[in-house]
Amino acid sequence: MKDLSELNVNILKLLKEDARRSPSLIATMLGVEEEEVRASITEMEEDHVIVKYATILNWSKVNDEKVTALIEVQITPERGRGFEGIAERIYLFPQVKSVYLMSGAYDLLVEVEGKNLREVASFVSDKLSPIEAVLSTKTHFILKKYKQEGIIYEDREDDQRLVVSP
Amino acid sequence: MIKEEDKQATLRSMGNYINPLVRDIPPSGIRKFFDMANASKDIITLGVGEPDFCTPWHVREACVYSLERGRTKYTSNAGMPELREAIAEYLHDSFQITYNPADELLVTVGGSEAIDLALRTLVSPGDEILIPEPCYISYSPIVSIGGGVAVGIETSAENQFKLTAESLKAKLTPNSKVLILCYPSNPTGGIMTYEDWLPIAKVVEEHDLIVISDEIYAELTYDQKHVSFASVPGMKDRTIVVSGFSKAFAMTGWRMGYACGHKEIIAAMLKIHQYTVMCAPIMGQVAALEALKNGHEEKAHMVESYNQRRRLVVKGFREIGLDCHEPQGAFYAFPSIQSTGLTSEQFAHRLLFEAKVAAVPGDVFGLGGEGYIRCSYATSVAQLNEALDRMGRFLDKMKQEM
């Protein structure tokens, strides 16, 4: 792990707000040369500091029957590898959207997405629980998402300012 | 029963009841433009004189919590003691100016009330009040109501809209009494450095002037820190510093401001304040205290964001062919539209109706404003880019007409 330069941090902040900002716009906003910004972005992409440019979606706006669950998983760590091997066996399933190693009462928090409740349930009973190291699971279905990655899904704080003011 | 024509006659003569000093104040040019812009559809507005951020949630939440706990009463006239202490500490830490929160500091209903109190306290009929222009539009009407005479001092883009000692001296008369300073400047974005202040301070001292320094944009400077006029040696007792929470902490609607100065002057201002508003609303005071205690990180984030947008619009205006001096403070750019051959008002009018972009014509801000428009960049990057595109196309179209 290395420290990011101030420029890189500032570039990341602007991209985090809007990944579609061009190097030229970012360069103008930060008061630096476009070439510098391009080089920094390329470097961060190569180092996988920037992993991907994805879109944050509000699936509840469209007719979509997907269900998402957060599953608390307790596991026995493997000798020599700790949690890494089990985590990998879990996160390689495409229906697994995120996996976190947690402190506290359980070990992994696994986010699973499926077409319906039954699909998620069968993932847990057929794939997740049978893994030898998995001691127990606890499944929580998500009912509604309000905010993700710092972005509020339905922001009600729209611009209410007067059109012209002194 | 009153006959209809008697009623008409009464109405016609209502103006006679109005104090001539109030009656004769010309209507605000900004108001006229607001009515026009407000009636237009699909416009992008660069006319807004307030932050585009909502007040940080922790500040709003602190106020809600205080309401739940029933904090709904008057506070002491000068403001809650803990808020006054926090303001004094903040001014000391940020701008190296030291005031005793007990008697040199007064919490007001917005910076606007502080300006009104200061002028009412200082101006007697016939006094001349020196005002570098272009500037914020409220000073000279309030001066007039007090029977004073507003004397504009023109500043120009060649000097980055700074006040110079020569231009100040040129307007001095035996009646000169008060100098109003508004730096960082609304509408030009101009600032004054310590070196810029020194010769001004010398003139102020020599001619025994008193200064109202409106430092509401103090937190919004970009390449260097704001220098308070009161921090210049010898100026503290001659200066009433006026500021507030609106711009720095995105709290315009809360109407929270303050004034600091010599205790005799603050005591006089407090007299008017207690008879007119009693005290600033307690909800706003609670919120302001929270902003000072825990709001500096979000403030820094907002300032950085304005700075990014400042660079964007200045470059954008220059690219579409408008001369634009580099604003160093506030959130306004003040590009010149002289190359179009139009007056500010004509330009702003056509820009609004033909390009659907609202910007305030510079002439409403007084001397030196003609030939410029005020563009606030406190709006989203996407809107700014769209506004620049529209303005670019509008200017191209005008060139073809010429």
Side-chain angles (χ1 to χ4, degrees):
Chain A
M1 267 191 277
K2 57 179 179 182
D3 286 335
L4 283 172
S5 69
E6 197 190 328
L7 175 64
N8 282 2
V9 171
N10 288 333
I11 292 172
L12 289 179
K13 279 189 197 157
L14 290 180
L15 283 174
K16 196 87 178 77
E17 282 170 13
D18 182 354
R20 300 210 294 177
R21 282 178 175 154
S22 68
S24 134
L25 175 62
I26 292 172
T28 306
M29 289 173 76
L30 296 178
V32 295
E33 291 303 315
E34 185 178 337
E35 274 318 303
E36 271 184 89
V37 173
R38 283 189 188 279
S40 296
I41 292 178
T42 308
E43 183 199 317
M44 288 192 287
E45 285 170 351
E46 281 166 0
D47 293 348
H48 286 265
V49 173
I50 297 175
V51 181
K52 208 165 193 147
Y53 301 95
T55 306
I56 294 179
L57 295 166
N58 184 357
W59 286 110
S60 68
K61 283 275 183 193
V62 290
N63 200 358
D64 183 88
E65 302 290 314
K66 270 195 210 70
V67 293
T68 311
L70 291 176
I71 307 170
E72 298 173 5
V73 184
Q74 277 188 314
I75 54 182
T76 320
E78 289 174 295
R79 187 177 198 141
R81 292 188 72 197
F83 298 97
E84 303 302 308
I86 314 289
E88 187 178 356
R89 280 190 68 182
I90 295 173
Y91 69 61
L92 284 174
F93 286 106
Q95 53 271 63
V96 171
K97 296 301 165 192
S98 50
V99 175
Y100 307 96
L101 179 63
M102 309 293 286
S103 67
Y106 57 95
D107 304 302
L108 296 179
L109 183 65
V110 178
E111 185 185 354
V112 175
E113 203 174 78
K115 281 199 200 71
N116 50 44
L117 221 113
R118 194 160 0 113
E119 203 178 275
V120 174
S122 66
F123 172 80
V124 175
S125 59
D126 297 348
K127 308 286 192 225
L128 193 57
S129 295
I131 297 172
E132 212 174 316
V134 171
L135 298 173
S136 74
T137 63
K138 214 187 254 181
T139 304
H140 310 272
F141 285 97
I142 291 174
L143 302 181
K144 183 173 180 180
K145 281 189 190 176
Y146 295 99
K147 185 178 185 181
Q148 190 180 356
E149 294 281 311
I151 293 164
I152 297 169
Y153 274 27
E154 304 205 11
D155 204 340
R156 288 175 295 137
E157 288 170 13
D158 49 347
D159 199 341
Q160 295 164 359
R161 297 178 298 169
L162 299 174
V163 183
V164 175
S165 53
Chain B
M1 205 82 165
I2 309 165
K3 277 197 215 136
E4 193 55 32
E5 41 205 277
D6 290 345
K7 233 194 243 170
Q8 287 299 322
T10 322
L11 283 175
R12 265 199 302 278
S13 62
M14 287 313 270
N16 296 336
Y17 293 105
I18 298 173
N19 175 348
L21 292 175
V22 175
R23 193 185 54 212
D24 298 343
I25 295 173
S28 150
I30 236 171
R31 180 76 221 176
K32 210 169 65 184
F33 201 71
F34 168 80
D35 290 337
M36 247 179 349
N38 206 29
S40 313
K41 287 226 158 52
D42 305 320
I43 62 159
I44 292 182
T45 178
L46 307 180
V48 190
E50 60 179 322
D52 60 330
F53 296 100
C54 195
T55 306
W57 174 243
H58 69 97
V59 173
R60 289 185 271 158
E61 201 271 341
C63 174
V64 171
Y65 179 63
S66 80
L67 283 175
E68 284 173 351
R69 283 175 53 220
R71 297 191 65 182
T72 58
K73 306 291 193 236
Y74 293 134
T75 70
S76 81
N77 294 129
M80 303 189 311
E82 57 270 46
L83 175 59
R84 275 184 280 149
E85 275 159 32
I87 294 170
E89 196 183 320
Y90 157 75
L91 289 174
H92 177 81
D93 294 348
S94 300
F95 307 110
Q96 295 75 52
I97 44 179
T98 310
Y99 292 99
N100 182 351
D103 54 10
E104 295 180 326
L105 204 155
L106 166 63
V107 178
T108 56
V109 181
S112 312
E113 194 216 2
I115 292 164
D116 179 37
L117 294 179
L119 285 170
R120 279 206 269 175
T121 299
L122 299 177
V123 176
S124 312
D127 288 343
E128 290 181 4
I129 315 304
L130 300 148
I131 309 174
E133 293 178 347
C135 78
Y136 179 59
I137 57 172
S138 294
Y139 309 128
S140 94
I142 301 176
V143 167
S144 311
I145 295 171
V149 180
V151 178
I153 306 172
E154 184 170 339
T155 64
S156 67
E158 291 74 59
N159 287 324
Q160 291 98 50
F161 295 102
K162 290 175 190 293
L163 175 65
T164 61
E166 297 72 53
S167 57
L168 171 58
K169 274 189 209 155
K171 296 291 178 128
L172 288 171
T173 74
N175 293 327
S176 303
K177 181 171 180 185
V178 183
L179 170 63
I180 300 182
L181 298 167
C182 177
Y183 292 94
S185 159
N186 172 8
T188 66
I191 62 162
M192 294 285 281
T193 63
Y194 187 76
E195 286 70 34
D196 295 330
W197 280 139
L198 287 176
I200 305 297
K202 199 159 158 261
V203 178
V204 166
E205 184 120 57
E206 280 168 9
H207 295 269
D208 198 23
L209 299 174
I210 186 153
V211 172
I212 299 172
S213 186
D214 182 351
E215 303 184 10
I216 190 78
Y217 290 99
E219 288 283 2
L220 309 186
T221 58
Y222 301 110
D223 292 332
Q224 49 207 303
K225 274 214 73 155
H226 168 71
V227 181
S228 172
F229 189 71
S231 71
V232 178
M235 288 301 111
K236 191 191 148 194
D237 282 349
R238 288 185 179 275
T239 306
I240 304 173
V241 173
V242 168
S243 191
F245 295 83
S246 296
K247 317 292 176 174
F249 297 96
M251 293 179 64
T252 46
W254 297 83
R255 312 307 305 125
M256 288 304 303
Y258 51 86
C260 320
H262 189 277
K263 66 178 182 185
E264 280 180 49
I265 288 178
I266 292 296
M269 288 169 64
L270 182 59
K271 273 199 286 191
I272 309 176
H273 175 77
Q274 72 188 18
Y275 290 129
T276 50
V277 307
M278 188 82 100
C279 66
I282 186 168
M283 302 80 165
Q285 293 195 50
V286 168
L289 184 58
E290 171 64 24
L292 282 182
K293 274 193 194 152
N294 299 311
H296 294 283
E297 198 178 318
E298 284 215 48
K299 181 193 72 201
H301 162 72
M302 292 190 273
V303 173
E304 185 48 35
S305 170
Y306 293 133
N307 194 7
Q308 292 165 354
R309 292 178 275 174
R310 176 182 71 109
R311 296 186 186 114
L312 176 70
V313 294
V314 172
K315 182 158 176 261
F317 286 139
R318 289 175 181 167
E319 277 173 3
I320 60 176
L322 295 180
D323 275 342
C324 186
H325 99 102
E326 190 177 345
Q328 302 282 336
F331 38 59
Y332 307 104
F334 205 56
S336 162
I337 49 92
Q338 286 155 15
S339 61
T340 64
L342 299 179
T343 66
S344 298
E345 197 182 338
Q346 288 166 337
F347 183 88
H349 197 266
R350 286 188 58 182
L351 187 67
L352 178 62
F353 289 105
E354 295 172 36
K356 301 271 179 206
V357 175
V360 183
D363 59 301
V364 309
F365 300 103
L367 299 175
E370 181 52 73
Y372 296 84
I373 52 169
R374 188 193 74 174
C375 299
S376 161
Y377 50 83
T379 195
S380 72
V381 171
Q383 292 259 301
L384 290 173
N385 274 323
E386 174 64 23
L388 286 166
D389 277 353
R390 290 185 188 184
M391 290 174 77
R393 286 198 297 272
F394 171 67
L395 287 165
D396 284 346
K397 195 182 84 182
M398 288 219 315
K399 255 184 226 140
Q400 280 160 18
E401 285 171 14
M402 269 154 71

